[in-house]
Amino acid sequence: MTPEMLYALRDQAGVPSHPLVFLVLGVLTFALHMAAVQVMLGAASLTLRGAFSASTHWRRLAAAMLVTAKIAVSVAIVIGVAPLLFVQVVYDPFWYTSNVLSAWWVIGFIVLLIAGYIAMYIFYWKNHDIMADGGRGGIWMLLSLALLLAVGFIVHSLTNQMLFPEQWMAWYAPKGVVNPDGHSLHYWNLPRFLFFIALSAPVTGAWLYGYRRYLQGGGETDAAYLRWVRGLAQSLMLVGGVVSVLIGAVWMLTLPEKMTWFASSVWMLMALVALLAVVALPLVLRDRIDSGVWGYGIFGAGALGLIVVGAAREMLRFVTLLGSHGYDAMDYRINMDWYSTSLFFVTFGVVGGVTLAYLLTVAWQAGQSKGLYTPSSTVTRIGQWSVGLLVAWTVLYFAVGFYVWAR
Ligand code: HEM
């Protein structure tokens, strides 16, 4: 594939804002997607581990983690859409080719995801009180985990196939015979996939610190349980962090030839330092994690660490496509559209911000108060604002659509 052919595959309409905007948003939302995926996988695994345990601590944690996993799947899906949008805007020649080459799997992705989510719900329906009754039907949770991992593997393969334009013809027409059925996944790098999956352990450890702090804030009296959760969180972070870094090292050693520069790059070093700093954070904070927001801060630091890892991953893609294939994502033709750019940021910052602030505040305060929870008048006003903003957004959306259509 010559650079000219790659450029010819671009959308001739150009992009509605500077490509850097899409690249930065792509990294940020990818990191958030990863955080949700990793909490989802970690919480589901802890549920499976704890539900069938004789220990009441494990069963209590399993009950809490089942609720977490259920919600994390939906967050992972919703936030997964965002990097999908950004990657297909600036890397469309690569992303669409990779998707068409494995079209069956792109559609199969959705079927497997639905099946995986349903399997998790079946486990949930079978287990009303894990704490009292123990777990039932673990096979459903196991199936759910396997299907969700399969979904991740498909995305991994699609994201990596796009980095090998030199192989596309061989995949599309093996030995010169065209095979357009899209039945195969053509490329994967297991250490890279396992690196992102293994990070579930430290990320879930960081999540457990937050869970523990939340219980403390709600006046939890079971000190033994809090101590136990802390020990588990610590082990997940330390052991999981070290294992992830080791798997990351294997990924670096198995990088294809055109990407070997990455292993000794400043980007890789920054990602490594960020990961190690997050893993070491609880050891530095010690008992401060029991006061203020420090207990939650560990997960916040984890999210920042994932942004650094996401930025390094983006540099691997950007530089590989530029250096080896002459494709510069930054020189995309800009067809500046201020309306859609500002609508995006207003939706994200104002509508999303106010609505999320309301939902999170209510959920938070309800969990921290004893007895019947009544929101304060300020919180209620934020709720009214969020409904108003959503209505205004919807009206604006259709109004502009009709205006453009009628012109
Ligand atoms: C629920 C199970 C899922 C798992 C376990 C999962 C896991 C992963 C992993 C491991 C990666 C990194 C791949 C790599 O760089 O090698 C990834 C990337 C990605 N995921 Fe997910 N994912 C899941 C669901 C989704 C869904 C439902 C969407 C979209 C709606 C999605 C969209 C994406 C996108 C767009 C990327 C790549 C972004 C880029 O290349 O910049 N994922 N996912």
Side-chain angles (χ1 to χ4, degrees), residues 67-102:
V67 179
T68 305
K70 232 163 30 87
I71 297 170
V73 180
S74 63
V75 178
I77 295 171
V78 172
I79 307 185
V81 177
L84 187 62
L85 299 180
F86 299 124
V87 75
Q88 71 189 359
V89 170
V90 274
Y91 293 117
D92 50 345
F94 304 88
W95 179 253
Y96 287 121
T97 310
S98 175
N99 275 240
V100 170
L101 284 168
S102 306

Side-chain angles (χ1 to χ4, degrees), residues 22-44:
F22 296 97
L23 287 170
V24 171
L25 288 172
V27 168
L28 292 180
T29 53
F30 170 75
L32 290 177
H33 170 59
M34 277 295 101
V37 162
Q38 284 152 355
V39 168
M40 167 191 94
L41 294 174

